[in-house]
Amino acid sequence: MKNKFSIGEMATLHGINITTLRYYHKIGLFKPAEIEENSNYRYYTIDQFEKLNMINYLKYLGISLQEINSILDKRN
């Protein structure tokens, strides 16, 4: 089984844009598991799928990203 996924693979698997994942990282909502030092490539793990699915679902329900961040903080 594959252990890490590139930002493009993660975006495709979850039906979102790469730009969205970069924005989520920028605002601290959803950070990659690993960032390569030299290339700055972002990689995600299968363990992060649940969190991204939760973000997408809450966003679908019309909840703001700020509220989603708060919900996820309380959950952890």
Side-chain angles (χ1 to χ4, degrees):
M1 183 189 286
K2 192 170 181 169
N3 292 327
K4 63 183 183 179
F5 299 84
S6 71
I7 192 169
E9 291 170 322
M10 195 69 158
T12 300
L13 288 168
H14 293 277
I16 58 176
N17 292 319
I18 291 172
T19 307
T20 301
L21 285 172
R22 287 187 180 126
Y23 181 68
Y24 288 172
H25 179 206
K26 181 180 176 182
I27 65 171
L29 179 64
F30 187 70
K31 298 177 183 177
E34 178 185 333
I35 302 174
E36 280 190 5
E37 239 179 82
N38 296 332
S39 63
N40 226 18
Y41 283 1
R42 294 167 173 88
Y43 292 100
Y44 302 86
T45 64
I46 200 163
D47 296 333
Q48 294 179 287
F49 282 29
E50 181 183 351
K51 184 174 183 179
L52 188 53
N53 286 335
M54 175 74 77
I55 292 168
N56 287 336
Y57 180 68
L58 293 172
K59 196 172 150 190
Y60 171 78
L61 294 176
I63 299 173
S64 73
L65 293 178
Q66 185 177 12
E67 289 176 289
I68 292 171
N69 205 7
S70 178
I71 290 166
L72 294 175
D73 281 346
K74 289 177 186 175
R75 194 168 177 233
N76 294 328

Coordinates of all heavy atoms in Angstrom, one line a residue:
M1 N 0.8 -1.2 0.0 CA 0.0 0.0 0.0 C 0.9 1.2 0.0 O 1.9 1.3 0.6 CB -0.9 0.0 1.2 CG -1.9 1.2 1.2 SD -2.8 1.4 2.7 CE -4.0 0.1 2.6
K2 N 0.4 2.2 -0.7 CA 1.2 3.5 -0.8 C 1.1 4.2 0.5 O 0.1 4.3 1.2 CB 0.5 4.3 -1.9 CG 1.3 5.5 -2.3 CD 0.7 6.1 -3.6 CE 1.6 7.3 -3.9 NZ 1.3 7.8 -5.2
N3 N 2.3 4.8 0.9 CA 2.4 5.5 2.2 C 2.2 7.0 2.2 O 1.8 7.6 3.1 CB 3.7 5.2 2.9 CG 3.8 3.7 3.3 OD1 2.9 3.1 3.7 ND2 5.0 3.2 3.2
K4 N 2.6 7.6 1.0 CA 2.4 9.0 0.9 C 1.9 9.4 -0.4 O 2.1 8.7 -1.4 CB 3.7 9.8 1.3 CG 4.9 9.5 0.4 CD 6.1 10.3 1.0 CE 7.3 10.1 0.1 NZ 8.5 10.9 0.6
F5 N 1.2 10.5 -0.5 CA 0.6 11.0 -1.7 C 1.0 12.4 -2.0 O 1.0 13.3 -1.0 CB -1.0 11.0 -1.5 CG -1.5 9.6 -1.2 CD1 -1.5 9.1 0.1 CD2 -2.0 8.8 -2.2 CE1 -2.0 7.8 0.3 CE2 -2.5 7.5 -2.0 CZ -2.5 7.0 -0.7
S6 N 1.3 12.7 -3.2 CA 1.6 14.1 -3.6 C 0.4 15.0 -3.5 O -0.7 14.5 -3.4 CB 2.2 14.1 -5.0 OG 1.1 13.9 -5.9
I7 N 0.6 16.3 -3.5 CA -0.5 17.2 -3.5 C -1.5 17.0 -4.6 O -2.7 17.1 -4.4 CB 0.0 18.7 -3.4 CG1 -1.1 19.6 -3.0 CG2 0.7 19.1 -4.7 CD1 -0.6 21.0 -2.7
G8 N -1.0 16.7 -5.8 CA -1.8 16.4 -7.0 C -2.7 15.2 -6.8 O -3.9 15.2 -7.1
E9 N -2.1 14.1 -6.2 CA -2.8 12.9 -6.0 C -3.9 13.1 -4.9 O -5.0 12.7 -5.0 CB -1.9 11.8 -5.5 CG -0.9 11.3 -6.6 CD 0.2 10.4 -6.1 OE1 0.7 10.6 -5.0 OE2 0.5 9.4 -6.8
M10 N -3.5 13.9 -3.9 CA -4.5 14.1 -2.8 C -5.6 15.0 -3.3 O -6.8 14.7 -3.0 CB -3.8 14.9 -1.7 CG -4.5 14.9 -0.4 SD -4.6 13.3 0.4 CE -4.9 13.7 2.0
A11 N -5.4 15.9 -4.1 CA -6.4 16.8 -4.7 C -7.3 15.9 -5.6 O -8.6 16.0 -5.5 CB -5.8 17.9 -5.5
T12 N -6.8 15.1 -6.4 CA -7.6 14.3 -7.3 C -8.4 13.3 -6.5 O -9.6 13.1 -6.8 CB -6.7 13.5 -8.3 OG1 -5.9 14.4 -9.1 CG2 -7.5 12.6 -9.2
L13 N -7.9 12.6 -5.5 CA -8.6 11.7 -4.7 C -9.8 12.3 -4.0 O -10.8 11.6 -3.7 CB -7.6 11.0 -3.7 CG -6.6 10.0 -4.3 CD1 -5.6 9.6 -3.3 CD2 -7.4 8.8 -4.8
H14 N -9.7 13.5 -3.6 CA -10.7 14.2 -2.8 C -11.5 15.2 -3.6 O -12.4 15.9 -3.0 CB -10.1 14.8 -1.6 CG -9.5 13.8 -0.6 ND1 -10.3 13.1 0.3 CD2 -8.3 13.3 -0.5 CE1 -9.5 12.3 0.9 NE2 -8.3 12.3 0.5
G15 N -11.3 15.3 -4.9 CA -12.1 16.2 -5.7 C -12.0 17.6 -5.4 O -13.0 18.4 -5.5
I16 N -10.8 18.1 -5.1 CA -10.5 19.5 -4.8 C -9.3 20.0 -5.6 O -8.6 19.1 -6.2 CB -10.3 19.8 -3.3 CG1 -9.1 19.0 -2.8 CG2 -11.6 19.5 -2.5 CD1 -8.8 19.3 -1.3
N17 N -9.1 21.2 -5.7 CA -8.0 21.8 -6.4 C -6.7 21.8 -5.6 O -6.7 21.9 -4.4 CB -8.3 23.3 -6.8 CG -9.4 23.4 -7.8 OD1 -9.4 22.6 -8.7 ND2 -10.2 24.4 -7.6
I18 N -5.6 21.7 -6.3 CA -4.3 21.8 -5.6 C -4.2 23.2 -4.9 O -3.7 23.3 -3.8 CB -3.1 21.7 -6.6 CG1 -3.1 20.2 -7.2 CG2 -1.8 22.1 -6.1 CD1 -2.1 20.0 -8.3
T19 N -4.7 24.2 -5.5 CA -4.7 25.6 -4.9 C -5.4 25.6 -3.6 O -5.0 26.2 -2.6 CB -5.4 26.6 -5.9 OG1 -4.8 26.5 -7.2 CG2 -5.3 28.0 -5.4
T20 N -6.5 24.8 -3.5 CA -7.3 24.7 -2.2 C -6.4 24.1 -1.1 O -6.3 24.6 0.0 CB -8.5 23.9 -2.4 OG1 -9.3 24.5 -3.4 CG2 -9.3 23.8 -1.1
L21 N -5.7 23.0 -1.5 CA -4.8 22.4 -0.5 C -3.7 23.3 -0.1 O -3.3 23.4 1.1 CB -4.2 21.1 -1.0 CG -5.2 19.9 -1.1 CD1 -4.5 18.7 -1.8 CD2 -5.6 19.5 0.3
R22 N -3.1 24.1 -1.0 CA -2.1 25.1 -0.6 C -2.7 26.1 0.3 O -2.0 26.6 1.2 CB -1.5 25.7 -1.9 CG -0.6 24.8 -2.7 CD 0.1 25.5 -3.8 NE 0.9 24.5 -4.5 CZ 0.8 24.3 -5.8 NH1 0.0 25.0 -6.6 NH2 1.6 23.4 -6.4
Y23 N -3.9 26.6 0.0 CA -4.6 27.6 0.8 C -4.8 27.0 2.2 O -4.6 27.7 3.2 CB -5.9 28.1 0.2 CG -6.6 29.1 1.0 CD1 -6.0 30.4 1.2 CD2 -7.7 28.8 1.7 CE1 -6.6 31.4 1.9 CE2 -8.4 29.8 2.4 CZ -7.8 31.1 2.5 OH -8.4 32.0 3.3
Y24 N -5.3 25.8 2.3 CA -5.6 25.2 3.6 C -4.3 25.1 4.4 O -4.3 25.3 5.7 CB -6.1 23.8 3.5 CG -7.5 23.7 3.0 CD1 -8.1 22.5 2.7 CD2 -8.3 24.8 2.9 CE1 -9.4 22.4 2.2 CE2 -9.7 24.7 2.4 CZ -10.2 23.5 2.1 OH -11.5 23.4 1.7
H25 N -3.2 24.8 3.8 CA -1.9 24.8 4.4 C -1.5 26.2 4.9 O -1.1 26.4 6.1 CB -0.8 24.2 3.5 CG 0.6 24.2 4.1 ND1 1.7 24.2 3.3 CD2 1.0 24.1 5.4 CE1 2.8 24.2 4.1 NE2 2.4 24.1 5.4
K26 N -1.7 27.2 4.1 CA -1.3 28.6 4.4 C -2.1 29.1 5.6 O -1.5 29.8 6.5 CB -1.6 29.5 3.2 CG -1.3 30.9 3.4 CD -1.6 31.7 2.1 CE -1.4 33.2 2.4 NZ -1.7 34.0 1.2
I27 N -3.3 28.7 5.7 CA -4.1 29.2 6.9 C -4.1 28.3 8.1 O -4.7 28.5 9.1 CB -5.6 29.5 6.5 CG1 -6.3 28.2 6.1 CG2 -5.7 30.5 5.4 CD1 -7.8 28.3 5.9
G28 N -3.3 27.2 7.9 CA -3.1 26.3 9.1 C -4.3 25.3 9.3 O -4.3 24.6 10.3
L29 N -5.2 25.2 8.3 CA -6.3 24.3 8.5 C -5.9 22.8 8.2 O -6.3 21.9 8.9 CB -7.4 24.7 7.5 CG -8.7 23.9 7.5 CD1 -9.4 23.9 8.9 CD2 -9.6 24.3 6.4
F30 N -5.1 22.6 7.2 CA -4.7 21.2 6.8 C -3.3 21.2 6.3 O -3.1 21.7 5.2 CB -5.7 20.7 5.8 CG -5.5 19.2 5.4 CD1 -5.9 18.3 6.3 CD2 -5.0 18.9 4.2 CE1 -5.7 16.9 6.0 CE2 -4.9 17.5 3.8 CZ -5.2 16.6 4.8
K31 N -2.4 20.7 7.1 CA -1.0 20.8 6.7 C -0.5 19.4 6.2 O -1.0 18.4 6.7 CB -0.2 21.2 8.0 CG -0.5 22.5 8.5 CD 0.3 22.8 9.7 CE -0.2 24.2 10.3 NZ 0.5 24.5 11.5
P32 N 0.4 19.5 5.2 CA 0.9 18.2 4.7 C 1.7 17.5 5.8 O 2.3 18.1 6.8 CB 1.9 18.6 3.6 CG 2.0 20.1 3.7 CD 1.0 20.6 4.6
A33 N 1.8 16.2 5.7 CA 2.6 15.4 6.7 C 4.1 15.6 6.5 O 4.8 15.5 7.5 CB 2.2 13.9 6.6
E34 N 4.4 15.9 5.3 CA 5.9 16.1 5.0 C 6.0 17.1 3.9 O 5.2 17.2 2.9 CB 6.4 14.7 4.5 CG 7.9 14.7 4.1 CD 8.3 13.4 3.5 OE1 7.7 12.3 3.9 OE2 9.2 13.4 2.7
I35 N 7.1 17.9 4.0 CA 7.4 18.9 3.0 C 8.9 18.7 2.7 O 9.7 18.8 3.6 CB 7.2 20.3 3.4 CG1 5.7 20.5 3.7 CG2 7.6 21.3 2.3 CD1 5.4 21.9 4.3
E36 N 9.2 18.3 1.4 CA 10.6 18.2 1.1 C 11.4 19.5 1.1 O 10.9 20.5 0.6 CB 10.7 17.6 -0.3 CG 10.5 16.1 -0.4 CD 10.9 15.5 -1.7 OE1 11.4 16.2 -2.6 OE2 10.6 14.3 -1.9
E37 N 12.5 19.5 1.8 CA 13.3 20.7 2.0 C 13.7 21.3 0.7 O 13.6 22.5 0.5 CB 14.5 20.3 2.8 CG 14.6 21.1 4.1 CD 15.8 20.8 4.9 OE1 16.9 21.3 4.6 OE2 15.7 19.9 5.8
N38 N 14.3 20.5 -0.2 CA 14.8 21.1 -1.5 C 13.8 21.5 -2.5 O 13.9 22.6 -3.1 CB 15.8 20.1 -2.1 CG 17.0 19.8 -1.3 OD1 17.4 20.6 -0.5 ND2 17.5 18.6 -1.4
S39 N 12.8 20.7 -2.7 CA 11.8 21.0 -3.7 C 10.5 21.7 -3.2 O 9.8 22.2 -3.9 CB 11.4 19.7 -4.4 OG 10.7 18.8 -3.4
N40 N 10.3 21.7 -1.9 CA 9.1 22.2 -1.2 C 7.9 21.4 -1.6 O 6.8 21.9 -1.5 CB 9.0 23.7 -1.6 CG 8.6 24.5 -0.3 OD1 8.8 24.1 0.8 ND2 8.1 25.7 -0.5
Y41 N 8.0 20.2 -2.1 CA 6.9 19.4 -2.5 C 6.2 19.0 -1.2 O 6.8 18.6 -0.2 CB 7.3 18.1 -3.2 CG 7.7 18.3 -4.7 CD1 7.6 19.5 -5.3 CD2 8.1 17.2 -5.4 CE1 8.0 19.7 -6.6 CE2 8.4 17.4 -6.8 CZ 8.3 18.6 -7.4 OH 8.7 18.8 -8.7
R42 N 4.8 19.0 -1.3 CA 4.0 18.6 -0.1 C 3.6 17.1 -0.3 O 3.2 16.7 -1.4 CB 2.8 19.5 0.0 CG 3.1 20.9 0.3 CD 1.9 21.8 0.0 NE 2.0 23.1 0.4 CZ 2.5 24.1 -0.4 NH1 2.9 23.8 -1.6 NH2 2.6 25.3 0.1
Y43 N 3.6 16.4 0.8 CA 3.1 15.0 0.8 C 2.2 14.8 1.9 O 2.4 15.3 3.0 CB 4.3 14.0 0.9 CG 5.2 14.0 -0.4 CD1 6.4 14.7 -0.4 CD2 4.8 13.3 -1.5 CE1 7.2 14.7 -1.6 CE2 5.6 13.3 -2.7 CZ 6.7 14.0 -2.7 OH 7.5 14.1 -3.8
Y44 N 1.2 13.9 1.7 CA 0.2 13.6 2.7 C 0.1 12.1 2.9 O 0.6 11.4 2.0 CB -1.2 14.1 2.2 CG -1.2 15.6 1.9 CD1 -0.8 16.1 0.6 CD2 -1.6 16.5 2.8 CE1 -0.8 17.5 0.4 CE2 -1.6 17.9 2.6 CZ -1.2 18.3 1.4 OH -1.2 19.7 1.1
T45 N -0.4 11.7 4.0 CA -0.5 10.3 4.3 C -2.0 9.9 4.3 O -2.9 10.7 4.4 CB 0.1 10.0 5.7 OG1 -0.7 10.6 6.7 CG2 1.5 10.4 5.8
I46 N -2.2 8.6 4.3 CA -3.6 8.0 4.3 C -4.3 8.4 5.6 O -5.5 8.5 5.6 CB -3.6 6.5 4.0 CG1 -4.9 6.1 3.5 CG2 -3.1 5.7 5.2 CD1 -4.9 4.7 2.8
D47 N -3.5 8.5 6.7 CA -4.1 8.9 7.9 C -4.7 10.3 7.9 O -5.6 10.6 8.8 CB -3.0 8.9 9.0 CG -2.4 7.6 9.3 OD1 -3.1 6.6 9.0 OD2 -1.2 7.5 9.7
Q48 N -4.4 11.1 6.9 CA -5.0 12.4 6.8 C -6.3 12.5 6.0 O -6.9 13.5 6.0 CB -3.9 13.4 6.2 CG -2.7 13.6 7.1 CD -1.7 14.5 6.4 OE1 -1.1 14.1 5.5 NE2 -1.7 15.8 6.9
F49 N -6.6 11.4 5.4 CA -7.8 11.3 4.5 C -9.1 11.7 5.3 O -9.9 12.5 4.9 CB -8.0 10.0 3.9 CG -7.1 9.7 2.7 CD1 -5.9 10.3 2.6 CD2 -7.6 8.8 1.8 CE1 -5.1 10.0 1.5 CE2 -6.8 8.5 0.6 CZ -5.5 9.1 0.5
E50 N -9.2 11.2 6.5 CA -10.4 11.4 7.4 C -10.6 12.9 7.6 O -11.7 13.4 7.5 CB -10.3 10.6 8.7 CG -11.5 10.8 9.5 CD -11.4 10.1 10.9 OE1 -10.5 9.3 11.1 OE2 -12.3 10.4 11.7
K51 N -9.5 13.6 8.0 CA -9.6 15.0 8.3 C -10.0 15.8 7.1 O -10.8 16.7 7.2 CB -8.2 15.5 8.8 CG -8.3 17.0 9.3 CD -7.0 17.4 9.9 CE -7.1 18.8 10.4 NZ -5.9 19.3 11.1
L52 N -9.4 15.5 5.9 CA -9.8 16.2 4.7 C -11.2 15.9 4.3 O -11.9 16.8 3.9 CB -8.8 15.9 3.6 CG -9.0 16.7 2.3 CD1 -8.9 18.2 2.6 CD2 -7.9 16.4 1.3
N53 N -11.7 14.7 4.5 CA -13.1 14.4 4.2 C -14.0 15.2 5.2 O -15.0 15.7 4.7 CB -13.3 12.9 4.4 CG -12.8 12.1 3.3 OD1 -12.6 12.5 2.2 ND2 -12.5 10.8 3.6
M54 N -13.6 15.3 6.4 CA -14.4 16.1 7.4 C -14.4 17.6 7.0 O -15.5 18.2 7.0 CB -13.8 16.0 8.8 CG -14.4 16.9 9.8 SD -16.1 16.3 10.3 CE -15.6 14.9 11.4
I55 N -13.3 18.1 6.6 CA -13.3 19.5 6.1 C -14.2 19.7 4.9 O -15.0 20.6 4.9 CB -11.8 19.9 5.7 CG1 -11.0 20.0 7.0 CG2 -11.8 21.3 5.0 CD1 -9.5 20.1 6.7
N56 N -14.1 18.8 3.9 CA -15.0 18.9 2.7 C -16.4 18.8 3.1 O -17.3 19.5 2.5 CB -14.6 17.8 1.7 CG -13.3 18.1 1.0 OD1 -12.8 19.3 0.9 ND2 -12.6 17.1 0.5
Y57 N -16.8 17.9 4.0 CA -18.2 17.7 4.4 C -18.7 19.0 5.1 O -19.8 19.5 4.8 CB -18.3 16.5 5.3 CG -19.8 16.3 5.7 CD1 -20.7 15.9 4.8 CD2 -20.2 16.4 7.0 CE1 -22.0 15.7 5.1 CE2 -21.5 16.2 7.4 CZ -22.4 15.8 6.5 OH -23.7 15.6 6.8
L58 N -17.9 19.5 6.1 CA -18.4 20.7 6.8 C -18.5 21.9 5.9 O -19.4 22.7 6.0 CB -17.4 21.0 7.9 CG -17.4 19.9 9.1 CD1 -16.3 20.2 10.1 CD2 -18.8 19.9 9.8
K59 N -17.6 22.0 4.9 CA -17.6 23.0 3.9 C -18.9 22.9 3.1 O -19.6 23.9 2.8 CB -16.4 23.0 3.1 CG -16.1 24.2 2.3 CD -14.8 24.1 1.6 CE -14.8 24.9 0.3 NZ -13.6 24.7 -0.5
Y60 N -19.2 21.7 2.7 CA -20.4 21.4 1.9 C -21.7 21.8 2.7 O -22.7 22.3 2.1 CB -20.5 19.9 1.6 CG -21.8 19.4 1.0 CD1 -22.1 19.6 -0.3 CD2 -22.8 18.8 1.8 CE1 -23.3 19.2 -0.9 CE2 -24.0 18.4 1.3 CZ -24.2 18.6 0.0 OH -25.4 18.2 -0.6
L61 N -21.7 21.7 4.0 CA -22.8 22.1 4.9 C -22.9 23.6 5.0 O -23.8 24.1 5.7 CB -22.7 21.4 6.2 CG -22.8 19.9 6.3 CD1 -22.6 19.4 7.7 CD2 -24.2 19.5 5.8
G62 N -21.9 24.3 4.5 CA -21.9 25.8 4.6 C -21.2 26.4 5.7 O -21.4 27.6 6.0
I63 N -20.4 25.6 6.4 CA -19.7 26.1 7.6 C -18.4 26.8 7.1 O -17.7 26.3 6.2 CB -19.4 24.9 8.5 CG1 -20.7 24.3 9.0 CG2 -18.5 25.4 9.7 CD1 -20.5 23.1 9.9
S64 N -18.1 27.9 7.7 CA -16.9 28.7 7.2 C -15.6 28.0 7.6 O -15.6 27.2 8.5 CB -16.9 30.1 7.9 OG -16.6 30.0 9.3
L65 N -14.6 28.3 6.9 CA -13.3 27.7 7.2 C -12.8 28.0 8.6 O -12.2 27.2 9.3 CB -12.2 28.1 6.2 CG -12.5 27.6 4.7 CD1 -11.4 28.2 3.8 CD2 -12.5 26.1 4.7
Q66 N -13.1 29.2 9.1 CA -12.7 29.6 10.4 C -13.5 28.7 11.5 O -12.8 28.2 12.4 CB -13.0 31.1 10.7 CG -12.6 31.6 12.0 CD -12.9 33.1 12.2 OE1 -13.6 33.7 11.4 NE2 -12.3 33.6 13.2
E67 N -14.7 28.5 11.2 CA -15.5 27.6 12.1 C -15.0 26.2 12.0 O -14.9 25.5 13.1 CB -17.0 27.7 11.8 CG -17.7 29.0 12.2 CD -19.1 29.0 11.7 OE1 -19.3 29.1 10.5 OE2 -20.0 28.9 12.6
I68 N -14.7 25.7 10.8 CA -14.2 24.4 10.7 C -12.9 24.2 11.4 O -12.7 23.2 12.1 CB -14.0 24.0 9.2 CG1 -15.3 24.0 8.4 CG2 -13.2 22.7 9.0 CD1 -15.2 23.9 6.9
N69 N -12.0 25.2 11.3 CA -10.7 25.1 12.1 C -11.0 25.0 13.6 O -10.4 24.2 14.3 CB -9.9 26.4 11.8 CG -8.4 26.1 11.9 OD1 -8.0 25.0 12.2 ND2 -7.7 27.2 11.8
S70 N -12.0 25.8 14.1 CA -12.3 25.7 15.5 C -12.9 24.3 15.9 O -12.5 23.8 16.9 CB -13.4 26.8 15.8 OG -13.7 26.8 17.1
I71 N -13.7 23.8 15.0 CA -14.3 22.5 15.3 C -13.2 21.4 15.3 O -13.2 20.6 16.2 CB -15.3 22.1 14.2 CG1 -16.6 23.0 14.4 CG2 -15.7 20.6 14.3 CD1 -17.5 22.9 13.1
L72 N -12.3 21.5 14.4 CA -11.2 20.5 14.3 C -10.3 20.6 15.5 O -9.7 19.6 16.0 CB -10.5 20.6 13.0 CG -11.3 20.2 11.8 CD1 -10.4 20.5 10.5 CD2 -11.7 18.8 11.8
D73 N -10.0 21.9 16.0 CA -9.2 22.1 17.1 C -9.8 21.5 18.4 O -9.1 20.9 19.2 CB -8.9 23.6 17.4 CG -7.9 24.2 16.5 OD1 -7.2 23.4 15.8 OD2 -7.8 25.4 16.4
K74 N -11.1 21.6 18.5 CA -11.8 21.0 19.7 C -11.8 19.5 19.6 O -11.7 18.9 20.7 CB -13.2 21.6 19.7 CG -13.3 23.0 20.1 CD -14.8 23.5 20.1 CE -14.9 25.0 20.3 NZ -16.2 25.5 20.2
R75 N -11.8 19.0 18.4 CA -11.9 17.5 18.2 C -10.5 16.9 18.6 O -10.5 15.7 19.0 CB -12.2 17.3 16.7 CG -12.6 15.8 16.5 CD -13.1 15.7 15.1 NE -13.4 14.3 14.8 CZ -13.0 13.7 13.8 NH1 -12.3 14.3 12.9 NH2 -13.3 12.4 13.6
N76 N -9.5 17.6 18.4 CA -8.1 17.1 18.8 C -7.9 17.5 20.2 O -7.1 17.2 20.9 CB -7.0 17.7 17.8 CG -7.2 17.2 16.4 OD1 -7.7 16.1 16.2 ND2 -6.9 18.0 15.5

